[in-house]
């Protein structure tokens, strides 16, 4: 998520939004524009791509106006600006114009790093907009979205929403907004299931949950639905591996409160409770067999076999049988 910058005035002369998460970059721009229009409803907004900001263009845009109007100049993909234009922008950092806010969106990589360094040295306000590649980051994003709009959602509901929607932050944000608008009181896992049942059933984590619970038929049904709706096989093997490893970790851990085990194993407390329920039929030999099955399936879906779907089905059946070893 976008971290709070040291300079948190959206009307600072220069703002740099750094990263590759489109939703967060757009929100950084929207925050500046909203603050400018709150100060002056007639604020002029110019939203430019690198090819539109040629040498001399910035000077024209920031030249004194007869009407002294407030202006926001947004430059997207600033890392792609030409060398001559970068010189213009760096020069502007030294003498920004009052009533004008310059917003630079920069991918944050090595390309165009000189411009980024110069902006930071000049004291620009910075908003971090990193790409959220980890499920834990997307989960934190969903929780923050609910907090921002003043609504309560259980940890299980937040996780179910991430499982159902996937990695698209815009869709996650839209789902949070929809649930908050439609549902009164605390939003729980059952509510998420009602709204997103088709997508939730297609989730790789649903496949894994049903498998480690020993519910082979349901796991296979969820697997086929997942594959039919375009879930990548590698995501399913990853979810299966996480589910089996969680069983193994908790079965070998010392007893204790969920909070203590959560710190020891690196899991949220609610997940400790869920895994405890799932591990009742497991044995150490069953965990070992399941991990071997996941490894074979992983190799199968990454080119080591002729039929990735069969490799996954075989793994799911093996895991479900291992989950019922004590029953």
């Amino acid at each position: 998520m976008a971290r709070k910058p040291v300079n948190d005035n959206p009307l600072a002369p220069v703002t740099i939004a750094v990263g590759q998460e489109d939703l967060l970059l757009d929100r950084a721009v929207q925050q500046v524009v909203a603050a400018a229009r709150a100060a002056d409803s007639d604020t002029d907004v110019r939203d430019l791509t690198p090819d539109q900001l040629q040498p001399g263009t910035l000077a024209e845009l920031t030249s004194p106006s007869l009407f002294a109007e407030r202006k926001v100049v947004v430059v997207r993909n600033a890392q792609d600006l030409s060398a001559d234009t970068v010189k213009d922008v760096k020069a502007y950092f030294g003498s920004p114009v009052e009533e004008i806010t310059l917003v630079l969106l920069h991918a944050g990589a090595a390309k165009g790093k000189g411009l980024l360094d110069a902006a930071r040295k000049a004291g620009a306000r910075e908003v971090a907009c990193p790409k959220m590649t980890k499920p834990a980051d997307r989960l934190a994003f969903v929780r923050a979205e609910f907090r921002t709009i003043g609504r309560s959602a259980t940890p299980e509901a937040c996780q179910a929403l991430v499982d159902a929607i996937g990695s698209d932050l815009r869709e996650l944000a839209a789902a949070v907004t929809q649930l908050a608008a439609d549902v009164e009181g605390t939003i729980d896992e059952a509510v998420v299931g009602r709204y997103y049942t088709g997508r939730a059933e297609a989730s790789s984590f649903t496949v894994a949950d049903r498998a480690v619970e020993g519910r082979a038929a349901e796991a296979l049904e969820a697997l086929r639905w997942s594959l039919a709706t375009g879930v990548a096989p590698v995501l399913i093997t990853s979810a299966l591996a996480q589910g089996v490893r969680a069983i193994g970790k908790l079965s070998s851990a010392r007893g204790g409160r969920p909070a203590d085990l959560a710190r020891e194993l690196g899991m949220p407390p609610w997940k400790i409770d869920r895994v405890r329920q799932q591990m009742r039929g497991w044995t150490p030999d069953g965990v070992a067999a399941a991990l071997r099955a996941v490894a074979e399936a992983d190799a199968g879906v990454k080119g080591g076999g002729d039929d990735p779907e069969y490799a996954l089905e075989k793994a799911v059946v093996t895991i479900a049988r291992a989950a019922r070893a004590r029953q």
Side-chain angles (χ1 to χ4, degrees), residues 218-239:
E218 294 177 39
L220 288 171
E221 181 181 359
L223 170 64
R224 288 161 189 153
W225 185 270
S226 294
L227 294 173
T229 54
V231 176
V234 292
L235 295 180
I236 299 174
T237 55
S238 176

Side-chain angles (χ1 to χ4, degrees), residues 19 22 53 74 108 130 136 171 206 288:
D22 289 341
L53 193 68
V74 179
E171 290 194 27
T206 299

Side-chain angles (χ1 to χ4, degrees), residues 2-326:
R3 62 180 172 80
K4 187 177 181 180
V6 175
N7 178 0
D8 199 29
N9 178 13
L11 294 182
V14 179
T15 287
I16 50 175
V18 184
Q20 300 178 42
E21 189 59 70
D22 289 341
L23 173 66
L24 301 184
L25 290 168
D26 286 346
R27 284 185 173 182
V29 173
Q30 291 163 8
Q31 183 186 32
V32 172
V33 171
R37 286 183 169 157
D40 180 355
S41 60
D42 293 326
T43 293
D44 181 23
V45 179
R46 304 295 181 90
D47 198 324
L48 308 173
T49 56
D51 62 299
Q52 293 174 311
L53 193 68
Q54 297 297 320
T57 304
L58 184 61
E60 294 176 10
L61 291 172
T62 58
S63 60
S65 168
L66 179 64
F67 302 102
E69 65 181 355
R70 182 176 290 277
K71 186 179 294 183
V72 175
V73 178
V74 179
V75 181
R76 298 182 182 273
N77 298 311
Q79 72 278 357
D80 295 330
L81 291 171
S82 69
D84 288 338
T85 303
V86 167
K87 290 179 183 178
D88 286 354
V89 177
K90 288 182 177 179
Y92 180 80
F93 292 158
S95 55
V97 178
E98 189 176 355
E99 301 297 311
I100 292 180
T101 300
L102 176 63
V103 183
L104 301 175
L105 309 189
H106 194 291
K111 185 178 182 182
K113 187 173 183 296
L115 177 62
L116 202 54
D117 291 342
R120 287 167 172 160
K121 186 176 180 179
R125 170 180 177 262
E126 182 170 350
V127 181
C129 307
K131 198 74 176 174
M132 295 191 182
T133 57
K134 298 179 180 178
D137 292 338
R138 295 192 287 272
L139 180 59
F141 171 80
V142 168
R143 290 173 173 169
E145 289 290 289
F146 278 117
R147 285 197 300 271
T148 298
I149 59 179
R151 293 300 305 274
S152 176
T154 66
E156 295 87 349
C158 294
Q159 183 66 62
L161 199 57
V162 172
D163 292 347
I165 300 298
S167 60
D168 191 312
L169 288 202
R170 292 187 190 279
E171 290 194 27
L172 285 169
V176 168
T177 300
Q178 180 183 20
L179 289 169
D182 293 355
V183 179
E184 296 183 359
T186 299
I187 296 165
D188 59 19
E189 188 175 14
V191 169
V192 175
R194 286 200 303 271
Y195 271 74
Y196 300 99
T197 181
R199 299 179 72 161
E201 286 171 1
S203 163
S204 55
F205 289 99
T206 299
V207 179
D209 282 342
R210 298 298 86 80
V212 299
E213 290 163 3
R215 296 153 66 179
E218 294 177 39
L220 288 171
E221 181 181 359
L223 170 64
R224 288 161 189 153
W225 185 270
S226 294
L227 294 173
T229 54
V231 176
V234 292
L235 295 180
I236 299 174
T237 55
S238 176
L240 290 171
Q242 289 182 48
V244 175
R245 287 183 189 133
I247 297 289
K249 282 183 180 180
L250 192 55
S251 62
S252 61
R254 299 185 300 275
R257 297 177 303 170
D260 296 331
L261 288 170
R263 285 190 294 271
E264 179 183 344
L265 302 178
M267 299 180 189
W270 66 264
K271 189 170 184 180
I272 296 291
D273 292 334
R274 174 177 288 182
V275 176
R276 272 179 168 167
Q277 295 174 356
Q278 293 174 334
M279 62 183 283
R280 291 171 182 166
W282 284 86
T283 65
D285 288 343
V287 172
L291 287 173
R292 286 195 297 272
V294 171
E296 291 173 2
D298 190 55
V301 302
K302 292 179 178 177
D306 297 328
D307 190 341
E309 183 173 341
Y310 172 73
L312 287 168
E313 288 181 354
K314 183 178 178 182
V316 164
V317 170
T318 301
I319 293 169
R321 286 175 178 168
R324 303 178 67 85
R326 284 181 175 163

